[in-house]
């Protein structure tokens, strides 16, 4: 008896080295262990330093994925929000050193930052930060209306409540 069940082509990775590197990194970005996520984020930075942008392209292409694919054991958890968040943290950091390269993802980052249905403020924040870093260093040129929209991304729609010092 095979614990994984019957034969399924999707259980095996392709022979494409780029897809394998991106798949393993995506899995680790969504790991329950913060140490694994941290190491995966640093791997993304290393891919950039070593000019392995096709791997980063493949990672950005996995943003909407909710699984670890063939690298994930079905009995182990995969936290896709962690994977998304740590990928965006990595891209925001990369946007400082590689604004033109990260600028290639401007449309995706803009979609994430301005998605009114996405309640996760940190996803929006790091997508916004990557865009603004690219803009500031000349990697991309964002239209004024996009910059205005980005300005309101992390602001609460609610007015601040005045609190007296006596909170009893």
């Amino acid at each position: 008896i095979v614990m994984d069940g019957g034969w399924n082509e999707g259980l095996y990775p392709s022979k494409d080295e780029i897809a394998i590197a991106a798949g393993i990194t995506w899995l680790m970005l969504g790991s329950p262990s913060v140490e694994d996520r941290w190491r995966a984020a640093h791997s993304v930075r290393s891919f950039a330093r070593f000019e392995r942008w096709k791997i980063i392209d493949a990672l950005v292409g996995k943003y909407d994925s909710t699984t670890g694919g063939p690298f994930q054991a079905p009995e182990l958890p995969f936290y896709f929000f962690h994977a998304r968040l740590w990928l965006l943290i990595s891209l925001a950091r990369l946007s400082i050193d590689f604004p033109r390269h990260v600028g290639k993802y401007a449309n995706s980052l803009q979609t994430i930052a301005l998605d009114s249905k996405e309640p996760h403020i940190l996803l929006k924040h790091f997508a916004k930060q990557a865009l603004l870093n690219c803009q500031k260093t000349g990697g991309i040129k964002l239209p004024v209306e996009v910059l205005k929209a980005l300005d309101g991304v992390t602001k609460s729609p609610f007015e601040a409540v005045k609190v007296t010092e006596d909170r009893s």
Side-chain angles (χ1 to χ4, degrees), residues 110 113-114 128 143-155:
Q110 188 175 324
L114 300 177
K128 168 188 168 180
V144 174
E145 57 274 4
V146 172
L147 290 170
K148 285 182 184 177
L150 288 173
D151 188 46
V153 162
T154 53
K155 292 183 181 167

Side-chain angles (χ1 to χ4, degrees), residues 53-106:
W53 287 96
K54 288 183 179 183
I55 298 171
I56 299 172
D57 294 345
L59 278 167
V60 172
K62 290 185 171 297
Y63 185 84
D64 290 324
S65 175
T66 58
T67 73
F71 302 100
Q72 176 188 2
E75 67 274 10
L76 298 178
F78 175 75
Y79 298 106
F80 67 90
F81 269 116
H82 281 328
R84 291 175 183 175
L85 176 60
W86 283 78
L87 177 60
L88 290 171
I89 291 169
S90 301
L91 291 174
R93 179 58 183 90
L94 287 179
S95 67
I96 296 168
D97 299 325
F98 304 98
R100 282 187 169 63
H101 284 91
V102 175
K104 295 186 313 187
Y105 315 121

Side-chain angles (χ1 to χ4, degrees), residues 10 12 16 34 37 45 51 53-54 63 89-90 98 119 123 134-135 140 143-144 147 151 167:
Y12 297 91
D16 179 8
V34 69
R37 295 191 303 269
R45 288 190 68 197
E51 298 289 321
W53 287 96
K54 288 183 179 183
Y63 185 84
I89 291 169
S90 301
F98 304 98
L123 295 179
C134 288
Q135 166 83 10
I140 58 173
V144 174
L147 290 170
D151 188 46
R167 295 187 179 192

Side-chain angles (χ1 to χ4, degrees), residues 38-51:
W38 185 86
R39 287 183 191 108
H42 278 275
S43 294
V44 175
R45 288 190 68 197
S46 294
F47 294 145
R49 278 196 320 272
F50 295 129
E51 298 289 321

Side-chain angles (χ1 to χ4, degrees), residues 3 25 30 33 35 45 53 58 63 74 77-78 87 100 109 112-113 115 118 124 133 137 140 148-149 166 168:
M3 296 305 289
T25 305
S33 164
E35 291 90 359
R45 288 190 68 197
W53 287 96
Y63 185 84
F78 175 75
L87 177 60
R100 282 187 169 63
L109 292 168
I112 295 164
D115 183 359
E118 175 56 65
K124 296 163 92 61
N133 288 343
T137 55
I140 58 173
K148 285 182 184 177
D166 179 20
S168 55

